[in-house]
Amino acid sequence: MEDNSVRDTSEPQGDQVEQTSQTQTNAPVKKRGSFTGKIGFVLAAAGSAVGLGNIWRFPYLAAKYGGGIFILTYVVLAVTFGFALMIAEIALGRKTGVSAINAFKKLNKKWAFLGVLCAVIPILILPYYSVIGGWVGKYFFTYLTGGGASAAGDKFFDSFIASPWQSLLFFAIFVTIVFVIVLFGVEKGIEKSSKFLMPALVLLTIGVTIYTLTMPDSWEGVKYYLLPDFKKFSVKTVLGALGQLFYSMSLAMGIMITYGSYMKKENKIESSVHQIEIFDTGIALLAGLMIVPAAFVFSGGNPETLGQGPGLMFVALPKVFETFGPVGGGILGALFFALVLFAALTSAISLMETVISIIMDKFSLSRRKSCVVAYVGTLVLGIFPALGFGVLSKVSISGKTILDMVDFLSNSVLMPIAAFLTCVFIGYVIKCRTITDEIELNGRFAMKKFFNVMIKYVCPIGIAAILITSILDAVGVFAL
Ligand code: TRP
């Protein structure tokens, strides 16, 4: 199919973009549109970026990788690697006017494979993203039906994820909701609601954080979360932070290229990138400040709780809500999980739209058929991570469940490879000038020198070094 078809389906806003300025989902359109002004662009890109990655994934990684040292590593990577890559992807999209799968091909035929690599990543992410979406759905449902007290029980989370039918059911419901929204193209309504629901989530998070900080032991958690302990630093911290950076900012998977392709030429790329980064990192830091101290209040900083991984949010927060009593806690829990569910849905819609546009483009299927293929494919692929804590819990590599394995494969292997190749492509094939000229179309590029050095040397060498050391580590060539 032509480039046009890709634009038509991966259009992040729709042909009424001139009227609505904030969105984070993609709508089918007849004609190619572009974002209204810079704020529209920033909010749309930040909207896609903010999701479970910020609220669920960042806090548990921070807790697991030693708190402050992880935060420090993450922030340093965000303003260096994250900045350079986001600039590069958005400029690449705006320059070529097409989405990832075609952008690389358009500039150099031999590099078409990189577009394909980028396309594989959202296909891998969507199923397990939906499994976590299902977990959020389960908690929302539990609070709604008055089960808040049981949700705060010690075994609640473990027995839920271990029960095959429950985890499959909530996963399937989540994917079906996403599918129906995408199939009937009702994203516009979702986008409108996100204008007040996302700020509501931020306000509620601030409220819960302040409340948690009045509880005993919480400041121990704040210290753990913010003060770096350099003894805990290792290459794993860097790889974890790098993978999280890509995941959270939707980098190294072509998403920002697509968003860039809808950005107007007169809007400034550089300052937009700063704003998206501040948004995304700010919300992640805030979510961590809510969840990590909560884990300290209830477990006294027990390393097992802190290191438990994907379940952290689901275990720590219900205990905070419980202190409000059955009624208050119930309402608070239902409200909180409803808002998180909403954030998860908007990101999943955007992910499914991406997958659909890839299917349409690669297999020349109609949009409707592609929706069905994406839906069925996601349902089938999601069965494995959904069952990975129960019937399939024996399938694990060095303690990693299936969900952890897919997560590791996409975030810590494929995304760094895609990012590395993107840097090589820009620095040595099309040359940095192609990108910097695009950015300079409307004014000075303040960090141009820094950008060039990052893309040509620091990012590719850094990413390669991190990947190689961690692979050697994984195969036990030398223990770090
Ligand atoms: N960045 C999103 C989050 O933090 C997750 C995500 C990854 C995503 N890739 C995406 C969202 C593509 C939309 C589109 O939750």
Side-chain angles (χ1 to χ4, degrees):
M1 256 198 232
E2 285 293 320
D3 290 343
N4 272 341
S5 64
V6 179
R7 287 193 216 129
D8 286 350
T9 53
S10 54
E11 158 74 65
Q13 283 217 288
D15 51 358
Q16 285 134 29
V17 278
E18 306 306 327
Q19 288 141 41
T20 60
S21 62
Q22 183 193 10
T23 173
Q24 58 194 51
T25 54
N26 307 329
V29 285
K30 300 278 173 305
K31 237 173 50 207
R32 182 161 194 270
S34 55
F35 295 109
T36 329
K38 201 178 121 202
I39 286 294
F41 174 76
V42 170
L43 289 176
S48 152
V50 174
L52 290 175
N54 309 61
I55 304 157
W56 155 76
R57 201 170 185 275
F58 184 87
Y60 90 67
L61 286 184
K64 186 171 159 183
Y65 287 110
I69 190 68
F70 180 84
I71 306 287
L72 181 67
T73 313
Y74 185 87
V75 171
V76 169
L77 288 176
V79 296
T80 53
F81 287 45
F83 169 77
L85 265 167
M86 196 181 288
I87 287 260
E89 289 199 17
I90 292 176
L92 206 62
R94 196 175 73 173
K95 182 172 175 60
T96 54
V98 293
S99 59
I101 211 157
N102 288 313
F104 294 102
K105 190 158 81 188
K106 193 165 174 175
L107 293 169
N108 187 316
K109 282 235 150 40
K110 283 200 196 119
W111 282 75
F113 76 92
L114 187 48
V116 178
L117 175 63
C118 285
V120 171
I121 297 170
I123 297 176
L124 271 181
I125 293 182
L126 180 59
Y128 87 84
Y129 199 90
S130 305
V131 171
I132 311 293
W135 293 1
V136 178
K138 160 79 182 180
Y139 273 73
F140 170 58
F141 181 77
T142 306
Y143 275 97
L144 205 62
T145 51
S150 64
D154 284 337
K155 291 276 164 284
F156 184 84
F157 178 74
D158 287 340
S159 55
F160 159 56
I161 56 168
S163 131
W165 293 115
Q166 290 246 3
S167 44
L168 277 182
L169 176 70
F170 282 96
F171 155 71
I173 295 174
F174 184 87
V175 185
T176 307
I177 296 173
V178 175
F179 168 67
V180 169
I181 293 170
V182 169
L183 185 71
F184 293 108
V186 290
E187 289 99 326
K188 277 280 174 296
I190 306 280
E191 286 156 16
K192 290 215 181 82
S193 344
S194 80
K195 273 188 192 154
F196 56 91
L197 290 180
M198 292 302 265
L201 176 60
V202 174
L203 286 180
L204 188 61
T205 306
I206 294 175
V208 174
T209 308
I210 293 173
Y211 173 74
T212 311
L213 295 185
T214 63
M215 298 169 100
D217 280 345
S218 62
W219 285 91
E220 283 307 307
V222 176
K223 274 195 223 150
Y224 176 80
Y225 182 63
L226 293 178
L227 298 179
D229 175 357
F230 290 90
K231 283 197 293 295
K232 290 187 179 137
F233 183 83
S234 82
V235 71
K236 283 198 181 129
T237 320
V238 190
L239 184 68
L242 191 70
Q244 171 61 17
L245 177 74
F246 295 149
Y247 185 87
S248 183
M249 297 195 181
S250 312
L251 290 173
M253 59 185 106
I255 303 293
M256 286 298 154
I257 302 185
T258 306
Y259 275 93
S261 75
Y262 293 99
M263 188 188 199
K264 283 188 175 158
K265 292 281 184 196
E266 57 270 20
N267 293 328
K268 290 204 161 76
I269 295 181
E270 190 178 14
S271 55
S272 305
V273 168
H274 287 309
Q275 288 166 5
I276 300 167
E277 285 207 307
I278 291 170
F279 239 114
D280 191 72
T281 310
I283 293 182
L285 288 174
L286 185 63
L289 193 58
M290 167 177 69
I291 292 170
V292 178
F296 267 78
V297 171
F298 297 102
S299 79
N302 176 353
E304 225 171 88
T305 308
L306 292 178
Q308 71 156 297
L312 188 64
M313 171 176 103
F314 299 96
V315 171
L317 288 183
K319 297 203 189 273
V320 176
F321 300 150
E322 197 190 17
T323 62
F324 282 86
V327 179
I331 296 173
L332 194 60
L335 186 64
F336 178 81
F337 284 106
L339 292 173
V340 176
L341 186 61
F342 180 81
L345 275 174
T346 54
S347 281
I349 290 167
S350 176
L351 272 162
M352 192 178 271
E353 281 288 359
T354 311
V355 173
I356 288 168
S357 74
I358 293 162
I359 298 171
M360 288 181 72
D361 185 46
K362 279 282 143 198
F363 304 102
S364 307
L365 284 180
S366 71
R367 183 182 154 83
R368 199 161 261 273
K369 281 197 188 121
S370 306
C371 284
V372 176
V373 174
Y375 174 56
V376 176
T378 306
L379 273 183
V380 172
L381 289 178
I383 291 176
F384 306 99
L387 295 181
F389 298 87
V391 274
L392 296 181
S393 62
K394 295 243 155 35
V395 188
S396 71
I397 301 177
S398 59
K400 276 194 166 69
T401 60
I402 299 180
L403 192 140
D404 280 325
M405 283 191 258
V406 190
D407 184 87
F408 183 81
L409 175 68
S410 64
N411 301 343
S412 299
V413 182
L414 295 179
M415 289 190 207
I417 294 176
F420 169 80
L421 291 171
T422 307
C423 293
V424 173
F425 178 70
I426 291 170
Y428 301 94
V429 180
I430 61 168
K431 305 280 192 278
C432 290
R433 274 205 65 163
T434 322
I435 297 294
T436 53
D437 284 354
E438 178 67 29
I439 291 159
E440 285 175 330
L441 279 181
N442 44 27
R444 213 168 82 81
F445 180 8
M447 313 265 280
K448 183 169 159 178
K449 277 219 177 79
F450 176 74
F451 172 81
N452 285 340
V453 174
M454 287 305 299
I455 289 288
K456 281 176 84 166
Y457 310 108
V458 183
C459 291
I461 295 172
I463 295 173
I466 295 163
L467 260 180
I468 292 169
T469 7
S470 49
I471 290 169
L472 291 180
D473 180 43
V475 293
V477 173
F478 55 78
L480 288 160

